[in-house]
Amino acid sequence: MAPPAYAVAAPPASAGSFPEAMVPPPPGSGGLLDQAPAAAGLPVAKRPAQERPALAGRGAEQALLRRVLDGARSGSGGTGTLFQGAPGIGKTALLDWAHAEARALGFTVLRAVGSEAEAGVAFGALHQLLWPLTSRMRALPEPQRRALAFALGEAAEPVRGGFLVGAAVLALLAGEARMRPVLVLVDDLQWVDSSSAAVFAFLQRRTAEVPLVFVSAGRPEGPTAEGRPGTVVDLTALDGEHARTLLSTRHPHLAVTTAERILQEAAGNPLALVELPVHLHPDQARGVMPLPRRFPLGHRLERLFAPRLDRLSAEAARVLLYAALGGTAAIWVTPALLDGLAPRRADEVLDEIETSGLARLEPDGRLTFRHPLVRGAVVARASGPERRAAHRRLAAALPHDDPRALGHEADATVRPDDALAGRLQEAGRRLALRGGDAEGALLLHRAAALSTAAGARARRLTWAAAMAARGGRLPYAAKLVEELRRAPVPVDSAPLYAYAVVYVDQSHHVDFESSFTLLPQALDALSRSGPGTGPFDDLAEQVYFKLLLATVYTSDARGWTALRAHRHQVSALADLCRRAWSDPARTAHGTGTELRAMAATMSQEQQAGAAWLLLWTAAAVDMADASLWRRFLGQHAYATQGSIAKAGGYQNYLRGHWDQAEVCLREAEAADALGYHCNALLFRHHYAHFLAGRGDEDGLLAVERAIRPLAERVRMKFVTDHLTHLRALAALGHGRDEEAYTALAGLTPPGVLPPGLPWFHLPFFDFVDAALRTGRTAQARAHVAAGEAAHIGDISPHHAFLLAAARALAAADEEADALYEAAYAVPGADQWVFELARLRLAHGTWLRDRRRPRAPEVLQQALETFRALGAVPWAERAERELRSADGRAGGPDALTAQELRIARLAADGLTNKEIGARLSLSPRTVGGHLAKVFPKLGIASRAALARALERGAA
């Protein structure tokens, strides 16, 4: 359905010509599909894309955009980019430029823009983005089609939690991308509704899979981190030269003295450079009259537009206010917004608005603002009664129970209204069922404020807090919880209140004490009252999981007692998760087999509801690999995606994907920005694993200083014990074996598999290695015997491999070789990359000591793996063992004359570039020669060159 003529809307797309742009903005629009001209049946522009005029001072940003667009066209996958900056700094100009560039290159371009007026409308921005593609939803698989249709308000049947929305959007865009690459542009990301922002974040994590380029723009102070794009670009003010160029281009007739004053006042802000001269009298611009003592930049930039707003007629001002407050809903309520004006008068009003330069009428009938700041200025200048009257008009123009109508009614209401509160509550419940927990929370919060009875107010506020927490808006949830704590909570809301408080305490405040005081009581109450209702009908399961999290992190006995007492109150999966973590050496046997069987029999919707339990059970036994979390990739909410990211970070360490280590730090920064401070701590804790494996003790110490004090303060043994283990691992890599043994024995004494160490299997192999290196053979064998007696190999494939590896290390000579081979033969042994390399190092050393011919081969395999991982101290040890192995002593004689010259220069400290200049070679050729030199000398790094060459000379 096309919008009617003269429709009024806040911009769902390009905000129009931006001051920094040096060409008119691209035609088309925000939420409307912009295809390549040829694809749309239009003439193709003759000018090549690379000749598009540059934006003043934004050459680097335009080059970045060209690279990502070219990458998507070449089939190398997409990428995400976020432009951040203050109002007026040029973000929209870059999006407009990318829009035009992409169209010229044959892209499908989809646009959306965040709006303060629609921040509480679940999936509102997503609807803008996908509006051109909705007819293609029929091609989606049925579950995805139903989920997306319901999320977009086009189907009445709810789909639990909206869990498939992310997958459905990705499938829809992937279908479009099979025909042509896709560019997604999202402006004013700080005002995008939470549900859409979560889907956009999900899409940006998957851009590598399809030729999809995601470019967004927002203010630094907004919640833009949720998108977690691949590249964040901070836009700063234009420098003097570029500011002068922009000003002279847009206002060529300014007097020199006037231009200098404008440059000084604007301080490099493109919007100010273009707008300030507009407010001058012509004689001031020519330098005839004195300039004003103060320009409006001392206040908000919206004041730049105040004089033009003051000159508007009452009807024109009212239409702009409707558009500013109404958002995209204004498209469908044109008669009301034009206030019953006759068509001729409506035309005059719209002409007046266009003439003012504050907004313009698009060919499709939409009225779009000149700049997002115009919208803010319109709202700021309206009085309270004027805004309330506009809200009433907007509410009357929408369906009675439309969440947007209810929001306008609430904004227009100054007294308590129980009837409206009840309607807001029901609308919030429906939003939560669509996956819009955060937006539903806004409606429940409004409902609470309009309630006359204290009990009803507290119930609604409790629902709002729980929904905000689950919707990923933790700082907001924390404010609601603080508000709740100031008044009694009804008994029937106590379990949900406990859930909300604990969610905030655990994830936001990193505090677990309330988990042990509130959650057992909540489970007791739920055992008497039965399941919850609506979006929280599985409240007992969620409360149980929160208690399990706190207990695993702290090893608090109160938690284990309560979890055992209530295990019959929850699902078999929840109890399996408890068994996997509580005392795994004695309770987790068969976990891997049971987990696979449960996951195989669950429907897609059941898996969605049980996502966290499945992930956490798998994480307990190191089975949370891609085959499992791929099931949950359609769950776009940050809470689930954050859990997947944590599991992924740790699995990258275990599986040898150490090139992904830095992802943990990016995820930590994003989690902190969203208020998930516990997640941020855990991401940094996962990053510490990579540092320990690589022997980077300075880096490890820095991370430990950042996270250990907080972890100790909240008794988070899960982290503090891990840090002790990782310090021991780093010491082991550097050959400080006694230090390593002492630390490991403090965690897991010889022959003891402690119940308070749920991840006891991780230091198991390290303990045996350290014990043997320090001559404690009896202690090593006692530990292996304890593992065998506990049948830990029956817990999971990783447990089985670690037990087999430790058994080989501690074996008597006559059994050792066969046991090493048995460890290699454990199913899936090759997936534990670092530990397998360490096993080969130990085996190769054993073979070398006995002059077995296989020693060099096994040691070489270990060396190559350590090099690939960047595990420098382990690689250096493997080098030493390899050099002393029979027949493998490398030396200068093994090098060609050219390789020897290059090696000597590199040993003297010259860079590849400097060596190339001296020998008339390219740096790349020098690097190729050095790549051959290292294995010939049996070394892994440049630092070892000098020693290797000295040994040869001796």
Side-chain angles (χ1 to χ4, degrees), residues 763-794:
F764 183 86
F765 175 66
D766 299 336
F767 177 90
V768 173
D769 191 12
L772 292 169
R773 288 204 211 177
T774 57
R776 295 178 173 92
T777 304
Q779 289 88 334
R781 289 177 176 170
H783 218 58
V784 172
E788 290 173 332
H791 301 286
I792 67 172
D794 295 338

Side-chain angles (χ1 to χ4, degrees), residues 87-111:
I89 206 66
K91 302 181 294 294
T92 303
L94 281 165
L95 264 59
D96 286 344
W97 185 90
H99 187 141
E101 187 82 356
R103 288 188 66 204
L105 294 172
F107 278 69
T108 290
V109 182
L110 301 168
R111 291 191 74 159

Side-chain angles (χ1 to χ4, degrees), residues 61-409:
E61 290 81 4
Q62 288 177 282
L64 169 64
L65 289 170
R66 284 195 184 97
R67 287 197 300 274
V68 299
L69 291 174
D70 288 342
R73 288 178 74 208
S74 67
S76 60
T79 186
T81 304
L82 167 65
F83 292 110
Q84 286 189 151
I89 206 66
K91 302 181 294 294
T92 303
L94 281 165
L95 264 59
D96 286 344
W97 185 90
H99 187 141
E101 187 82 356
R103 288 188 66 204
L105 294 172
F107 278 69
T108 290
V109 182
L110 301 168
R111 291 191 74 159
V113 65
S115 166
E116 285 182 288
E118 294 193 331
V121 179
F123 299 107
L126 183 66
H127 199 292
Q128 289 184 53
L129 194 77
L130 298 183
W131 172 253
L133 302 181
T134 50
S135 63
R136 304 181 193 180
M137 287 167 51
R138 291 189 296 271
L140 294 174
E142 181 60 18
Q144 293 183 359
R145 188 196 64 75
R146 288 192 300 110
L148 186 54
F150 188 76
L152 298 181
E154 298 181 6
E157 181 184 356
V159 177
R160 180 180 178 82
F163 286 126
L164 298 175
V165 175
V169 175
L170 182 65
L172 195 64
L173 295 181
E176 177 67 20
R178 282 192 288 271
M179 297 181 286
R180 59 184 68 83
V182 176
L183 170 64
V184 171
L185 299 171
V186 180
D187 205 354
D188 280 333
L189 190 58
Q190 74 278 358
W191 290 325
V192 166
D193 63 278
S194 296
S195 295
S196 296
V199 176
F200 295 159
F202 167 77
L203 290 177
Q204 290 190 98
R205 296 186 192 100
R206 307 296 300 280
T207 52
E209 301 176 22
V210 294
L212 169 65
V213 176
F214 196 107
V215 181
S216 54
R219 299 182 186 179
E221 68 273 14
T224 52
E226 183 163 353
R228 289 196 299 234
T231 303
V232 178
V233 179
D234 291 312
L235 296 181
T236 57
L238 300 180
D239 60 27
E241 178 185 351
H242 289 111
R244 194 177 302 278
T245 298
L246 175 59
L247 182 63
S248 63
T249 301
R250 299 300 297 268
H251 299 284
H253 302 301
L254 289 177
V256 173
T257 54
T258 303
E260 290 301 322
R261 177 73 186 283
I262 294 292
L263 288 167
Q264 178 184 353
E265 294 287 343
N269 184 287
L271 176 66
L273 287 166
V274 171
E275 291 296 329
L276 285 175
V278 173
H279 300 282
L280 298 177
H281 187 280
D283 287 341
Q284 289 177 318
R286 295 197 304 270
V288 176
M289 291 175 54
L291 295 172
R293 292 182 59 190
R294 294 185 61 187
F295 282 83
L297 285 184
H299 304 284
R300 297 183 67 189
L301 277 171
E302 284 92 334
R303 292 179 62 88
L304 286 170
F305 303 103
R308 275 181 275 180
L309 287 170
D310 290 340
R311 290 194 291 269
L312 291 177
S313 66
E315 295 99 327
R318 191 159 52 244
V319 168
L320 283 182
L321 182 59
Y322 291 154
L325 295 176
T328 54
I331 291 175
W332 312 113
V333 290
T334 303
L337 297 193
L338 291 177
D339 209 20
L341 297 174
R344 181 174 179 180
R345 179 55 184 153
D347 287 342
E348 292 173 351
V349 167
L350 293 172
D351 285 344
E352 179 186 357
I353 290 172
E354 283 201 286
T355 302
S356 73
L358 296 168
R360 72 168 183 268
L361 189 66
E362 301 288 359
D364 58 15
R366 291 174 302 104
L367 191 68
T368 57
F369 285 107
R370 160 78 172 80
H371 187 275
L373 291 177
V374 176
R375 187 192 308 116
V378 168
V379 174
R381 292 189 65 77
S383 66
E386 287 172 335
R387 288 196 294 270
R388 288 193 291 274
H391 282 300
R392 282 192 292 272
R393 176 73 67 173
L394 289 163
L398 289 163
H400 182 63
D401 286 326
D402 187 307
R404 293 168 295 183
L406 293 170
H408 288 305
E409 284 189 56

